[in-house]
Amino acid sequence: MPDSFPLPVFTGDAPLYDQLYRHIAAAIQSGALSPGSKLPSKRRLCALAGVSMSTVETAYSLLAAEGYVLAKPRSGYVCAHLLPSVSTPPAAAPETAPGSIPAPARWAFDCSTSGVDTSAFPFSSWARITKEAVYENPGLLQRGHPQGDPPLRTALAELLAQYRGVRCAPEQVVVGAGADYLLTLLLQLLPEQETIALEDPGYPAAYTAVSLHQRQAVPIPVDGAGMAPEALEKSGAGLAYLTPSHQFPLGVTMPAGRRSRLLHWAASAPDRWLIEDDYDSEFRYSSRPIPALQGLDRAGRVVYMGTFSRSIAPAIRVAYMILPPELLERYRRTFFHGACTVSRFEQESLRRFLVQGLYGRHLRRTGNLYRKKCALFTEALEEIPGVTISGADAGLHFLVTLPRFSETELVDRAAAKSVGIHPLSRYCHSVEPRPSTVVLGFAGLTEDELSQAAVLLKEAWA
Amino acid sequence: MPDSFPLPVFTGDAPLYDQLYRHIAAAIQSGALSPGSKLPSKRRLCALAGVSMSTVETAYSLLAAEGYVLAKPRSGYVCAHLLPSVSTPPAAAPETAPGSIPAPARWAFDCSTSGVDTSAFPFSSWARITKEAVYENPGLLQRGHPQGDPPLRTALAELLAQYRGVRCAPEQVVVGAGADYLLTLLLQLLPEQETIALEDPGYPAAYTAVSLHQRQAVPIPVDGAGMAPEALEKSGAGLAYLTPSHQFPLGVTMPAGRRSRLLHWAASAPDRWLIEDDYDSEFRYSSRPIPALQGLDRAGRVVYMGTFSRSIAPAIRVAYMILPPELLERYRRTFFHGACTVSRFEQESLRRFLVQGLYGRHLRRTGNLYRKKCALFTEALEEIPGVTISGADAGLHFLVTLPRFSETELVDRAAAKSVGIHPLSRYCHSVEPRPSTVVLGFAGLTEDELSQAAVLLKEAWA
């Protein structure tokens, strides 16, 4: 049977195990795999389909859970006789994301910007902490503080003061399930802000959030010092979202003069606010960290935002924002009835991770990993004649400019070698993208994979 | 020292431990408690302040964490010499919630509707499951499916089919951090819906969500069968939010005829949708569960929503909604770039809790507990001459009507005996509340506390 087993063709953005499960379920439903016939062993299917053991295991356990296959002791999985009680056949349409980022499945080397290195994640410490957080805190089952539990907020305020020069009391911290969620919450808090200034090029999710709240996004060009203040002043916007520590995606760090000018803009009229998204400031390689804009703000006009998605892992859905006093008061009038969107057990686990020094150690380890990866990848790519690399001082991605090809050619030639990269134009709205420029993330690939990807890119762009 | 210890006066809606911690911190800062002086033992402070051990423990550990007090082995806590490095003094303004529910702090017996009984929570199983979910799934660190991980969605679809007659494929399930968050997401998905029909009386957070999205809430009266269809038809709204299984707060169950009529309303024009919030359908005492409206919907017009906040615990921030195909497609176009707001480890823990049969066992145990509590409390209150109890067939609250007092008198007289209850008018918008009626939640109190509360209410309402 295994030799005639119909192998799937992986496409789209759905997870591999999900595609594999759907493919086999459809084959059983259609009769291509007949009732009673044996499925390949897990190990064999790994080899046949070129996927990992965990992909196969998840697909098989889904099939078993839904009654498509039966697990027979010592003889593996066999196809079931389908009964009408199998109530949830997989839908025909795969779970693809139109207009979404290149799927990991489609490339041998995925250089999108959303990966992180989880090899250094301290699983055993996290598992221990999680267990202790449940056992030692029965009180955490009840409803917690809407802004997040005070002990976590205290730990966050101390961390941000120490690492980022953020000046705040724990009362000002709002914890939520991801930076995108907190941005949504801020927009609901500021209904009078009808036009919102966003960096161009900039973070796509910020544009999405603004449009989902029926507000007008005003793209403001980014120059070598960050968001251009003249354009912001002319825009009529009262709220500006920016990434001053490491502009996304250009990688520019905003110098002191520009910071003062933007703070002055915010302070010079009522109802003007800056949202400082410090999304990957934890990682700087060739310069000292620059303190947050928030720490320089004397007028109470900056909302500081950060997340653990990159510094710990995307799976940890904890982000935070620091509200200035005026917005804090407004927040409390508006949202104080609600519950915090992060589980209290997870809040307590994270607090323990921070105060027990595990987070600091994890940052040092991953910082060193990323520094090495960034150096390795950029040094290899710099061997390509005519190439310019920028924005590689910090964070988990950089830009590559290679004038002899167009942006589309750069992306297509990389794709032909199975290296997935993003065109810079993906992040541009009104501005013309810098020509012949692409965005490369390196965090999700191993050093070995980065070396291989660099070899392929050198061939692709020769 | 303990005898001269300045005891706090608890007020407002901030958690007790937070008030206690602020009070002691302020006393240390002001010098009312001098450096080196001993704080009362935890046990003694419980007795002095009339609060629980966990309240005192949390307050003391916050004080210790922030350097206000020092823990001395075998002699308890002493006040620290404050140094300038204590960087985060508690703000003057307490964290109160204007217009929020009566604070647990203010009553000896809190009969608000948000409590649940966590005494039956299987801590050791949950701790084990959580630890296993971390250890056995390193892949969960990376970004997951925006709708929630497919294995959890499969488990949810099976659970809802079995318990609630919901008909859906796992593809239609969207997992999110709380029902309020999912409601927010739905409103963003339906920007063309400018007026939204809400039950009157009804769930306050739904009104808040609608106003935060700059939409118009149209209150629709609730009669003995639920939302009144004539008023809905006249309202011009295209989206109606309802709680048909156990109307909040009246406790009415919608009969079959009314269900058909509302489904007919939704199916008879494009862009009409019903949101069915099945928030506490897990608990029914004197009748068989009624299948969800969603299972009767042939036109694909019902969004089904549910949560584990009541059936497991408020701390577990996992809710789900089932999108009909048309909205699912819209959701995927709009939100597919985002990340699920629930941590993947928590998703996996919950999945294990469901598929290992622990959830079913927990529901049976808590269902029996609540049945007993409800019977005990209602039987005791029915001894009050002239009293009528309604809505006690299901859920975690019921209504008490006692015509010889006004609503305000009922609430104030209960408060004078330190029993916190909600007036029905709190949930009313355009309709006049049923006179002399209050809402009593019983889930958060023990049987013993309910007996005591009933004695006090009998005295209060004699």
Side-chain angles (χ1 to χ4, degrees):
Chain A
M1 199 69 217
D3 288 330
S4 68
F5 189 79
L7 285 174
V9 179
F10 294 112
T11 53
D13 290 325
L16 281 187
Y17 69 82
D18 197 39
Q19 295 190 48
L20 187 59
Y21 138 74
R22 275 168 208 287
H23 176 79
I24 299 174
I28 295 171
Q29 282 197 307
S30 71
L33 288 173
S34 50
S37 65
K38 262 182 82 172
L39 263 61
S41 73
K42 292 178 186 173
R43 190 169 305 277
R44 179 151 172 76
L45 186 53
C46 288
L48 286 171
V51 294
S52 73
M53 182 55 96
S54 75
T55 298
V56 172
E57 276 176 345
T58 310
Y60 274 18
S61 59
L62 277 173
L63 289 165
E66 298 195 354
Y68 287 100
V69 302
L70 302 169
K72 299 249 168 172
R74 280 176 302 279
S75 71
Y77 290 88
V78 298
C79 301
H81 294 263
L82 285 195
L83 299 172
S85 68
V86 175
S87 58
T88 52
E95 302 206 328
T96 54
S100 174
I101 59 166
R106 290 161 62 190
W107 321 106
F109 302 98
D110 173 26
C111 296
S112 73
T113 57
S114 62
V116 302
D117 188 329
T118 56
S119 67
F121 184 75
F123 273 100
S124 58
S125 303
W126 189 264
R128 170 182 58 76
I129 277 178
T130 320
K131 192 177 165 193
E132 287 170 1
V134 175
Y135 258 128
E136 296 172 12
N137 295 282
L140 292 186
L141 276 177
Q142 293 291 358
R143 194 173 252 247
H145 194 288
Q147 283 179 239
D149 285 327
L152 172 61
R153 287 191 275 132
T154 301
L156 284 171
E158 281 170 13
L159 179 85
L160 294 174
Q162 187 189 338
Y163 282 85
R164 304 293 303 126
V166 166
R167 297 148 46 104
C168 71
E171 285 74 18
Q172 291 171 263
V173 181
V174 176
V175 172
D180 294 355
Y181 165 75
L182 290 176
L183 193 54
T184 282
L185 209 145
L186 261 182
L187 289 171
Q188 291 175 27
L189 202 58
L190 295 163
E192 74 284 1
Q193 301 291 342
E194 286 173 12
T195 54
I196 291 153
L198 299 175
E199 293 171 331
D200 188 7
Y203 182 49
Y207 281 85
T208 309
V210 166
S211 101
L212 284 173
H213 283 82
Q214 322 296 317
R215 315 295 174 82
Q216 183 69 40
V218 195
I220 307 287
V222 172
D223 62 24
M227 183 181 268
E230 300 79 12
L232 172 61
E233 283 154 13
K234 279 185 210 142
S235 71
L239 176 64
Y241 166 91
L242 41 153
T243 51
S245 299
H246 187 234
Q247 203 274 332
F248 188 86
L250 296 185
V252 169
T253 298
M254 188 179 284
R258 180 67 59 87
R259 287 171 187 248
S260 306
R261 185 145 172 202
L262 289 177
L263 287 171
H264 178 77
W265 169 83
S268 59
D271 286 326
R272 282 192 180 168
W273 309 99
L274 296 169
I275 303 174
E276 174 179 28
D277 188 348
D278 211 20
Y279 66 103
D280 71 354
S281 62
E282 294 84 0
F283 304 112
R284 289 202 79 84
Y285 312 120
S286 53
S287 56
R288 296 202 59 74
I290 286 146
L293 202 56
Q294 196 270 2
L296 307 170
D297 172 31
R298 295 287 168 275
R301 295 296 176 175
V302 174
V303 177
Y304 178 89
M305 287 180 66
T307 172
F308 291 100
S309 296
R310 285 167 194 253
S311 60
I312 303 183
I316 309 294
R317 300 306 304 159
V318 187
Y320 45 86
M321 61 180 177
I322 313 299
L323 293 177
E326 191 179 329
L327 291 188
L328 180 64
E329 212 188 301
R330 221 191 266 202
Y331 169 88
R332 291 191 174 169
R333 279 199 305 273
T334 315
F335 288 107
F336 223 70
H337 62 278
C340 180
T341 44
V342 181
S343 141
R344 295 183 76 192
F345 290 133
E346 190 153 86
Q347 290 186 49
E348 175 62 12
S349 302
L350 179 59
R351 187 192 68 80
R352 286 168 183 241
F353 196 67
L354 299 180
V355 302
Q356 293 178 12
L358 295 163
Y359 179 66
R361 192 191 306 165
H362 182 64
L363 276 190
R364 286 189 295 279
R365 287 172 69 180
T366 46
N368 288 334
L369 273 175
Y370 290 144
R371 183 193 309 276
K372 273 173 75 182
K373 285 186 180 185
C374 185
L376 181 154
F377 204 28
T378 54
E379 281 163 22
L381 294 173
E382 272 165 353
E383 292 171 11
I384 301 172
V387 87
T388 310
I389 288 175
S390 54
D393 294 353
L396 309 182
H397 71 272
F398 54 79
L399 304 192
V400 169
T401 305
L402 187 58
R404 73 174 158 280
F405 294 113
S406 71
E407 182 192 86
T408 313
E409 284 169 342
L410 288 171
V411 172
D412 290 350
R413 284 171 164 262
K417 296 280 182 185
S418 207
V419 181
I421 57 177
H422 286 171
L424 179 58
S425 61
R426 178 171 187 267
Y427 306 99
C428 293
H429 296 265
S430 300
V431 297
E432 277 295 311
R434 188 188 307 174
S436 307
T437 302
V438 289
V439 182
L440 273 77
F442 55 83
L445 299 179
T446 63
E447 288 181 37
D448 197 41
E449 287 168 334
L450 288 170
S451 301
Q452 293 177 57
V455 169
L456 291 170
L457 288 174
K458 278 188 245 182
E459 290 171 16
W461 297 339
Chain B
M1 199 71 217
D3 287 328
S4 67
F5 190 78
L7 285 173
V9 180
F10 295 113
T11 52
D13 290 324
L16 279 189
Y17 68 83
D18 198 39
Q19 295 190 48
L20 187 58
Y21 137 72
R22 273 168 209 288
H23 175 78
I24 299 174
I28 294 171
Q29 282 197 308
S30 71
L33 288 173
S34 50
S37 65
K38 262 182 84 171
L39 262 60
S41 74
K42 292 178 186 173
R43 191 169 302 279
R44 181 152 170 77
L45 187 53
C46 289
L48 286 171
V51 295
S52 74
M53 181 56 97
S54 75
T55 298
V56 172
E57 277 175 346
T58 310
Y60 274 18
S61 60
L62 277 173
L63 289 165
E66 298 195 353
Y68 287 101
V69 302
L70 302 169
K72 298 250 168 170
R74 279 177 302 278
S75 70
Y77 290 90
V78 298
C79 301
H81 293 263
L82 286 195
L83 299 172
S85 68
V86 175
S87 58
T88 53
E95 302 206 329
T96 54
S100 173
I101 60 167
R106 290 160 62 191
W107 321 107
F109 302 98
D110 172 27
C111 295
S112 72
T113 57
S114 62
V116 303
D117 188 328
T118 56
S119 67
F121 184 76
F123 273 100
S124 58
S125 304
W126 188 264
R128 170 182 58 77
I129 277 178
T130 320
K131 192 179 166 190
E132 287 169 2
V134 175
Y135 258 126
E136 295 172 12
N137 294 281
L140 292 186
L141 274 178
Q142 293 290 358
R143 194 173 251 249
H145 195 287
Q147 282 179 240
D149 285 327
L152 172 61
R153 287 191 276 131
T154 301
L156 282 171
E158 280 171 13
L159 179 85
L160 294 174
Q162 187 188 338
Y163 282 86
R164 304 293 303 127
V166 166
R167 297 149 45 103
C168 71
E171 286 73 19
Q172 292 171 262
V173 181
V174 176
V175 172
D180 293 354
Y181 166 73
L182 291 175
L183 193 54
T184 282
L185 210 145
L186 263 182
L187 289 171
Q188 291 174 26
L189 203 58
L190 295 163
E192 73 284 2
Q193 300 291 341
E194 287 173 11
T195 55
I196 291 152
L198 299 175
E199 293 171 331
D200 188 6
Y203 181 49
Y207 281 86
T208 308
V210 167
S211 100
L212 284 174
H213 284 81
Q214 322 295 318
R215 316 294 175 81
Q216 184 69 38
V218 195
I220 307 287
V222 173
D223 62 24
M227 183 180 268
E230 300 78 13
L232 173 61
E233 283 153 14
K234 279 185 210 144
S235 71
L239 177 62
Y241 166 91
L242 39 152
T243 52
S245 298
H246 186 234
Q247 202 274 331
F248 188 86
L250 296 185
V252 169
T253 299
M254 189 178 285
R258 179 67 58 89
R259 286 171 188 249
S260 306
R261 184 145 172 203
L262 288 177
L263 288 170
H264 178 76
W265 169 83
S268 60
D271 285 327
R272 283 193 181 168
W273 309 99
L274 296 170
I275 303 174
E276 173 180 29
D277 189 348
D278 211 20
Y279 67 102
D280 71 355
S281 61
E282 294 84 0
F283 304 112
R284 289 201 79 84
Y285 313 122
S286 53
S287 57
R288 295 202 60 76
I290 285 145
L293 200 58
Q294 196 270 4
L296 307 170
D297 172 32
R298 294 289 167 275
R301 294 296 176 175
V302 174
V303 178
Y304 178 89
M305 287 179 66
T307 172
F308 291 101
S309 296
R310 285 167 194 252
S311 59
I312 303 183
I316 309 294
R317 300 306 304 158
V318 187
Y320 44 87
M321 61 181 177
I322 314 298
L323 293 177
E326 191 180 327
L327 290 189
L328 181 63
E329 212 187 302
R330 219 189 268 201
Y331 168 88
R332 290 189 174 171
R333 278 200 307 272
T334 314
F335 288 108
F336 223 72
H337 62 277
C340 180
T341 44
V342 181
S343 142
R344 296 183 77 193
F345 290 133
E346 189 152 87
Q347 290 185 51
E348 175 62 11
S349 302
L350 178 59
R351 187 192 68 80
R352 287 168 182 240
F353 195 66
L354 299 179
V355 302
Q356 292 178 11
L358 294 163
Y359 179 66
R361 192 190 306 164
H362 181 64
L363 276 190
R364 286 189 296 279
R365 289 172 68 181
T366 47
N368 287 334
L369 272 176
Y370 290 144
R371 182 193 310 276
K372 275 172 72 182
K373 285 186 180 187
C374 186
L376 182 153
F377 203 28
T378 52
E379 281 163 23
L381 294 174
E382 273 164 353
E383 293 171 9
I384 299 172
V387 87
T388 310
I389 288 175
S390 55
D393 293 355
L396 310 183
H397 71 271
F398 52 80
L399 303 192
V400 169
T401 305
L402 188 56
R404 72 174 159 279
F405 294 115
S406 72
E407 183 192 87
T408 312
E409 284 169 343
L410 288 170
V411 172
D412 290 349
R413 282 169 163 263
K417 297 281 184 186
S418 207
V419 181
I421 57 177
H422 287 171
L424 179 57
S425 60
R426 177 170 188 267
Y427 306 99
C428 293
H429 296 265
S430 300
V431 297
E432 278 294 309
R434 187 188 309 173
S436 307
T437 301
V438 288
V439 182
L440 274 78
F442 55 84
L445 299 178
T446 63
E447 289 180 39
D448 197 41
E449 288 168 334
L450 289 171
S451 301
Q452 294 178 56
V455 169
L456 291 170
L457 288 175
K458 278 187 246 182
E459 291 171 15
W461 298 338

